[in-house]
Amino acid sequence: MANDVVEKITELVTPIITAKGFSLWDVEFVKEGREMFLRIFIDKPGGITMDDIVLATNEISEMLDVVDPDPIPQAYMLEISSPGAERPLKTPEDLEWAQGQYVHVSLYQKLDGVKDYEGDLVSVTDEALTLNYLDKTRKKSVEIPRDMIAKARLAIKF
């Protein structure tokens, strides 16, 4: 059911988001404790402001109140926010967008004895990602097959 809700909400909010000059980063419909949450993550060049969040929240909330049939017939909390500085990279488009940026990649199993890599995302193909990273003080490069990637996100370089 959650996947159906995400698909329907994505379809409904995309025109609203794009009309305001924002991009839809992600939609989640999740249960936390006893509560259900509909989370919509938006972005724009230069980042999202609180005014942007308020504008998007008002428009999306109004639309969800009147759409028929109701895509979410149960009670839920609506949250609109920026995807954040360490935003997840879930889709092929997200990975393409992240080229040249510092990322964290977790693998299902070790590759060259390592299960988590952090480095600059150099290239993205349908088959693999290439990262430049530091191993102690040595610069290295690794090609990570896409089917080995459990999770990927932007990371903050210290």
Side-chain angles (χ1 to χ4, degrees), residues 30-39 74-77:
V30 295
K31 184 173 184 174
E32 292 181 3
R34 295 182 175 181
E35 303 290 327
M36 293 299 294
F37 290 88
L38 174 60
R39 293 191 176 109
Q74 66 200 86
Y76 64 93
M77 301 292 292

Side-chain angles (χ1 to χ4, degrees), residues 54-140:
V54 170
L55 177 68
T57 300
N58 289 340
E59 293 217 9
I60 291 169
S61 180
E62 287 176 19
M63 180 271 302
L64 289 173
D65 287 344
V66 298
V67 70
D68 189 28
D70 191 341
I72 310 174
Q74 66 200 86
Y76 64 93
M77 301 292 292
L78 175 64
E79 294 180 356
I80 312 285
S81 70
S82 161
E86 291 192 340
R87 66 192 60 193
L89 304 170
K90 295 181 177 181
T91 67
E93 294 80 17
D94 294 348
L95 292 167
E96 289 285 335
W97 173 86
Q99 281 188 88
Q101 298 189 61
Y102 194 73
V103 299
H104 178 95
V105 179
S106 298
L107 307 179
Y108 289 114
Q109 60 192 20
K110 290 182 179 181
L111 176 66
D112 299 331
V114 179
K115 195 167 180 183
D116 292 294
Y117 285 92
E118 241 178 56
D120 296 312
L121 182 56
V122 176
S123 69
V124 176
T125 68
D126 290 340
E127 294 79 35
L129 308 179
T130 302
L131 291 181
N132 288 342
Y133 68 102
L134 284 178
D135 182 10
K136 297 182 179 149
T137 59
R138 300 169 78 191
K139 291 182 181 181
K140 292 188 174 184

Side-chain angles (χ1 to χ4, degrees), residues 13-54:
V13 302
T14 297
I16 295 169
I17 299 298
T18 55
K20 299 297 174 199
F22 309 140
S23 60
L24 181 62
W25 192 265
D26 198 11
V27 175
E28 295 178 348
F29 187 60
V30 295
K31 184 173 184 174
E32 292 181 3
R34 295 182 175 181
E35 303 290 327
M36 293 299 294
F37 290 88
L38 174 60
R39 293 191 176 109
I40 300 172
F41 300 94
I42 60 175
D43 202 8
K44 72 175 185 186
I48 291 293
T49 68
M50 284 307 296
D51 288 340
D52 297 333
I53 297 292
V54 170

